Amino acid sequence: MPRSPRLPIVIFGARVRPDATPSRTLRHRLKAAAAFARKAAAFARKCENPLLIPTGAARDGLPSEARVMADLLLAGGVAPSDIVMEETARDTLDSIRACSRLLRDRGHVGPVAIATSAYHLPRCMVLMFLAGWKVIPVPPPPHPAARSLPRRWFWRLREVAALPWDALLMVARRGHHRASRD
């Protein structure tokens, strides 16, 4: 029986601490993605394992968010062939663009799973959809990204502003690319 294409799971980065260890948010996102990957592999035995794509650039001389996540995945028993790092993206919109390029370069045309925190998931899903992908949400971590209520509201309100702004930038860029091809 022919094997189905691999399901890519894009894991959005989060801060790396000054001691080069993952932040709580990064660990929770990674844990949710790994659990989803295990369930997807068990559910679709005829498919190859999902392709885990941690994304996030290096900052302030620290290892990239993608590298920290890849190292944790490897330490958790994920095969190196099941991980492709995207280490150039400095924000969510960069991650969408870079991962879209990476997937298209690999010839992927199917759906893409998105792993991130609950507050961040709507923006990631909308942007990935605007980039031309069918999107599958990975169930977000059960723990809130921020421990304090004011901090949780800060992140939610930030997303309220960021979603329309990034969507506008995505649509404008898409229109610019179409115009330059004509």
Short mmCIF file of all heavy atoms in Angstrom, two decimals, residues 54-92:
data_model
loop_
_atom_site.label_atom_id
_atom_site.label_comp_id
_atom_site.label_asym_id
_atom_site.label_seq_id
_atom_site.Cartn_x
_atom_site.Cartn_y
_atom_site.Cartn_z
N PRO A 54 9.95 22.89 14.09
CA PRO A 54 10.09 23.96 15.08
C PRO A 54 10.61 25.22 14.38
O PRO A 54 11.48 25.14 13.52
CB PRO A 54 11.11 23.41 16.08
CG PRO A 54 11.82 22.32 15.38
CD PRO A 54 10.94 21.83 14.27
N THR A 55 10.04 26.36 14.73
CA THR A 55 10.43 27.61 14.07
C THR A 55 10.78 28.67 15.10
O THR A 55 10.19 28.71 16.19
CB THR A 55 9.31 28.10 13.12
OG1 THR A 55 9.72 29.30 12.49
CG2 THR A 55 8.00 28.32 13.82
N GLY A 56 11.74 29.49 14.75
CA GLY A 56 12.14 30.60 15.62
C GLY A 56 13.63 30.84 15.54
O GLY A 56 14.43 29.91 15.60
N ALA A 57 14.00 32.10 15.37
CA ALA A 57 15.40 32.49 15.19
C ALA A 57 16.14 32.60 16.52
O ALA A 57 15.54 32.58 17.59
CB ALA A 57 15.46 33.83 14.46
N ALA A 58 17.44 32.77 16.39
CA ALA A 58 18.30 33.02 17.55
C ALA A 58 18.26 34.51 17.87
O ALA A 58 18.12 35.35 16.98
CB ALA A 58 19.73 32.59 17.24
N ARG A 59 18.39 34.82 19.15
CA ARG A 59 18.43 36.22 19.60
C ARG A 59 19.44 36.36 20.72
O ARG A 59 19.62 35.45 21.52
CB ARG A 59 17.07 36.64 20.12
CG ARG A 59 16.00 36.74 19.06
CD ARG A 59 14.76 37.42 19.62
NE ARG A 59 13.81 37.62 18.56
CZ ARG A 59 12.77 36.84 18.32
NH1 ARG A 59 12.54 35.81 19.07
NH2 ARG A 59 11.95 37.09 17.32
N ASP A 60 20.06 37.50 20.77
CA ASP A 60 20.93 37.88 21.90
C ASP A 60 22.02 36.84 22.18
O ASP A 60 22.35 36.59 23.33
CB ASP A 60 20.09 38.10 23.17
CG ASP A 60 19.00 39.14 22.97
OD1 ASP A 60 19.26 40.13 22.26
OD2 ASP A 60 17.90 38.95 23.50
N GLY A 61 22.55 36.21 21.14
CA GLY A 61 23.61 35.24 21.32
C GLY A 61 23.16 33.90 21.88
O GLY A 61 23.99 33.05 22.19
N LEU A 62 21.86 33.70 22.01
CA LEU A 62 21.32 32.44 22.52
C LEU A 62 21.04 31.49 21.36
O LEU A 62 20.94 31.92 20.21
CB LEU A 62 20.02 32.70 23.28
CG LEU A 62 20.15 33.56 24.53
CD1 LEU A 62 18.79 33.95 25.06
CD2 LEU A 62 20.94 32.82 25.60
N PRO A 63 20.89 30.20 21.62
CA PRO A 63 20.51 29.29 20.54
C PRO A 63 19.11 29.66 20.04
O PRO A 63 18.31 30.25 20.76
CB PRO A 63 20.50 27.91 21.20
CG PRO A 63 20.71 28.10 22.64
CD PRO A 63 21.07 29.53 22.90
N SER A 64 18.84 29.29 18.79
CA SER A 64 17.53 29.62 18.22
C SER A 64 16.44 28.85 18.96
O SER A 64 16.67 27.79 19.54
CB SER A 64 17.49 29.26 16.74
OG SER A 64 17.47 27.87 16.55
N GLU A 65 15.23 29.43 18.91
CA GLU A 65 14.07 28.75 19.48
C GLU A 65 13.89 27.39 18.81
O GLU A 65 13.60 26.39 19.47
CB GLU A 65 12.83 29.62 19.31
CG GLU A 65 12.90 30.93 20.07
CD GLU A 65 11.88 31.97 19.64
OE1 GLU A 65 11.05 31.68 18.75
OE2 GLU A 65 11.91 33.08 20.20
N ALA A 66 14.10 27.36 17.49
CA ALA A 66 13.98 26.11 16.73
C ALA A 66 15.00 25.08 17.21
O ALA A 66 14.67 23.90 17.37
CB ALA A 66 14.14 26.37 15.24
N ARG A 67 16.23 25.49 17.45
CA ARG A 67 17.29 24.58 17.91
C ARG A 67 16.95 24.02 19.29
O ARG A 67 17.11 22.82 19.54
CB ARG A 67 18.64 25.31 17.92
CG ARG A 67 19.77 24.62 18.67
CD ARG A 67 20.07 23.19 18.32
NE ARG A 67 20.35 22.99 16.92
CZ ARG A 67 20.21 21.80 16.29
NH1 ARG A 67 19.80 20.73 16.95
NH2 ARG A 67 20.47 21.66 15.03
N VAL A 68 16.50 24.87 20.20
CA VAL A 68 16.16 24.42 21.55
C VAL A 68 15.04 23.39 21.47
O VAL A 68 15.10 22.33 22.12
CB VAL A 68 15.78 25.62 22.45
CG1 VAL A 68 15.18 25.15 23.76
CG2 VAL A 68 17.00 26.50 22.70
N MET A 69 14.01 23.66 20.64
CA MET A 69 12.92 22.70 20.51
C MET A 69 13.40 21.40 19.86
O MET A 69 13.03 20.31 20.31
CB MET A 69 11.77 23.31 19.69
CG MET A 69 10.99 24.35 20.45
SD MET A 69 9.50 24.88 19.58
CE MET A 69 10.18 26.01 18.37
N ALA A 70 14.22 21.50 18.81
CA ALA A 70 14.72 20.30 18.15
C ALA A 70 15.53 19.44 19.12
O ALA A 70 15.39 18.21 19.14
CB ALA A 70 15.55 20.67 16.92
N ASP A 71 16.36 20.07 19.92
CA ASP A 71 17.15 19.32 20.90
C ASP A 71 16.25 18.59 21.90
O ASP A 71 16.51 17.44 22.25
CB ASP A 71 18.12 20.25 21.65
CG ASP A 71 19.29 20.71 20.78
OD1 ASP A 71 19.50 20.14 19.68
OD2 ASP A 71 19.97 21.68 21.19
N LEU A 72 15.19 19.25 22.35
CA LEU A 72 14.25 18.60 23.27
C LEU A 72 13.50 17.45 22.60
O LEU A 72 13.28 16.40 23.21
CB LEU A 72 13.26 19.62 23.83
CG LEU A 72 13.84 20.63 24.82
CD1 LEU A 72 12.84 21.74 25.11
CD2 LEU A 72 14.28 19.94 26.10
N LEU A 73 13.13 17.64 21.34
CA LEU A 73 12.46 16.56 20.60
C LEU A 73 13.40 15.35 20.46
O LEU A 73 12.99 14.21 20.68
CB LEU A 73 12.01 17.04 19.22
CG LEU A 73 10.83 18.01 19.21
CD1 LEU A 73 10.70 18.67 17.84
CD2 LEU A 73 9.54 17.29 19.59
N LEU A 74 14.65 15.62 20.10
CA LEU A 74 15.63 14.53 19.95
C LEU A 74 15.84 13.82 21.29
O LEU A 74 15.88 12.58 21.34
CB LEU A 74 16.95 15.08 19.41
CG LEU A 74 16.91 15.58 17.97
CD1 LEU A 74 18.17 16.38 17.64
CD2 LEU A 74 16.74 14.40 17.00
N ALA A 75 15.95 14.59 22.37
CA ALA A 75 16.13 13.99 23.70
C ALA A 75 14.91 13.17 24.10
O ALA A 75 15.03 12.21 24.86
CB ALA A 75 16.39 15.08 24.74
N GLY A 76 13.74 13.51 23.56
CA GLY A 76 12.51 12.78 23.85
C GLY A 76 12.30 11.58 22.94
O GLY A 76 11.26 10.93 23.00
N GLY A 77 13.27 11.29 22.08
CA GLY A 77 13.20 10.09 21.25
C GLY A 77 12.69 10.30 19.84
O GLY A 77 12.52 9.32 19.10
N VAL A 78 12.46 11.53 19.42
CA VAL A 78 12.04 11.77 18.04
C VAL A 78 13.24 11.59 17.12
O VAL A 78 14.35 12.05 17.41
CB VAL A 78 11.45 13.20 17.89
CG1 VAL A 78 11.11 13.50 16.44
CG2 VAL A 78 10.21 13.36 18.77
N ALA A 79 13.03 10.90 16.01
CA ALA A 79 14.11 10.65 15.06
C ALA A 79 14.53 11.94 14.36
O ALA A 79 13.66 12.77 14.03
CB ALA A 79 13.66 9.63 14.01
N PRO A 80 15.82 12.12 14.12
CA PRO A 80 16.28 13.33 13.41
C PRO A 80 15.58 13.52 12.05
O PRO A 80 15.33 14.64 11.63
CB PRO A 80 17.78 13.10 13.23
CG PRO A 80 18.15 12.14 14.30
CD PRO A 80 16.93 11.27 14.52
N SER A 81 15.23 12.43 11.39
CA SER A 81 14.57 12.52 10.08
C SER A 81 13.13 13.03 10.19
O SER A 81 12.52 13.39 9.17
CB SER A 81 14.57 11.15 9.40
OG SER A 81 13.87 10.21 10.20
N ASP A 82 12.60 13.11 11.41
CA ASP A 82 11.24 13.62 11.62
C ASP A 82 11.21 15.09 12.04
O ASP A 82 10.16 15.62 12.39
CB ASP A 82 10.52 12.78 12.70
CG ASP A 82 10.25 11.36 12.24
OD1 ASP A 82 10.22 11.13 11.03
OD2 ASP A 82 10.07 10.48 13.11
N ILE A 83 12.37 15.74 11.98
CA ILE A 83 12.49 17.14 12.40
C ILE A 83 13.15 17.95 11.29
O ILE A 83 14.19 17.56 10.76
CB ILE A 83 13.33 17.28 13.69
CG1 ILE A 83 12.75 16.45 14.83
CG2 ILE A 83 13.47 18.75 14.10
CD1 ILE A 83 13.68 16.31 16.02
N VAL A 84 12.55 19.08 10.96
CA VAL A 84 13.16 20.06 10.06
C VAL A 84 13.05 21.41 10.75
O VAL A 84 11.95 21.90 10.99
CB VAL A 84 12.47 20.11 8.68
CG1 VAL A 84 13.03 21.23 7.83
CG2 VAL A 84 12.59 18.78 7.97
N MET A 85 14.19 22.00 11.07
CA MET A 85 14.18 23.29 11.77
C MET A 85 14.03 24.44 10.79
O MET A 85 14.57 24.41 9.70
CB MET A 85 15.48 23.49 12.54
CG MET A 85 15.63 22.60 13.74
SD MET A 85 17.08 23.07 14.71
CE MET A 85 18.40 22.84 13.54
N GLU A 86 13.33 25.48 11.25
CA GLU A 86 13.25 26.74 10.52
C GLU A 86 13.78 27.78 11.50
O GLU A 86 13.11 28.15 12.45
CB GLU A 86 11.80 27.02 10.11
CG GLU A 86 11.63 28.19 9.15
CD GLU A 86 12.16 29.50 9.68
OE1 GLU A 86 11.64 29.99 10.70
OE2 GLU A 86 13.13 30.04 9.10
N GLU A 87 15.00 28.26 11.25
CA GLU A 87 15.70 29.10 12.22
C GLU A 87 15.82 30.57 11.81
O GLU A 87 16.59 31.31 12.41
CB GLU A 87 17.11 28.57 12.47
CG GLU A 87 17.13 27.22 13.12
CD GLU A 87 18.55 26.76 13.43
OE1 GLU A 87 19.23 26.28 12.49
OE2 GLU A 87 18.96 26.89 14.60
N THR A 88 15.07 31.01 10.81
CA THR A 88 15.22 32.40 10.35
C THR A 88 14.15 33.33 10.87
O THR A 88 14.36 34.54 10.90
CB THR A 88 15.20 32.46 8.81
OG1 THR A 88 13.91 32.07 8.34
CG2 THR A 88 16.28 31.57 8.20
N ALA A 89 13.00 32.82 11.26
CA ALA A 89 11.85 33.65 11.59
C ALA A 89 12.01 34.35 12.93
O ALA A 89 12.32 33.72 13.93
CB ALA A 89 10.58 32.80 11.59
N ARG A 90 11.75 35.65 12.92
CA ARG A 90 11.87 36.44 14.15
C ARG A 90 10.52 36.77 14.77
O ARG A 90 10.47 37.32 15.86
CB ARG A 90 12.65 37.72 13.85
CG ARG A 90 14.07 37.39 13.36
CD ARG A 90 14.97 38.58 13.31
NE ARG A 90 15.21 39.22 14.58
CZ ARG A 90 16.03 38.78 15.53
NH1 ARG A 90 16.68 37.67 15.37
NH2 ARG A 90 16.20 39.46 16.65
N ASP A 91 9.42 36.45 14.07
CA ASP A 91 8.09 36.68 14.63
C ASP A 91 7.10 35.74 13.94
O ASP A 91 7.48 34.95 13.08
CB ASP A 91 7.67 38.14 14.51
CG ASP A 91 7.60 38.66 13.08
OD1 ASP A 91 7.35 37.86 12.14
OD2 ASP A 91 7.77 39.86 12.88
N THR A 92 5.85 35.84 14.32
CA THR A 92 4.82 34.93 13.80
C THR A 92 4.68 35.02 12.30
O THR A 92 4.65 34.00 11.59
CB THR A 92 3.47 35.21 14.49
OG1 THR A 92 3.64 35.03 15.90
CG2 THR A 92 2.38 34.28 13.98
#
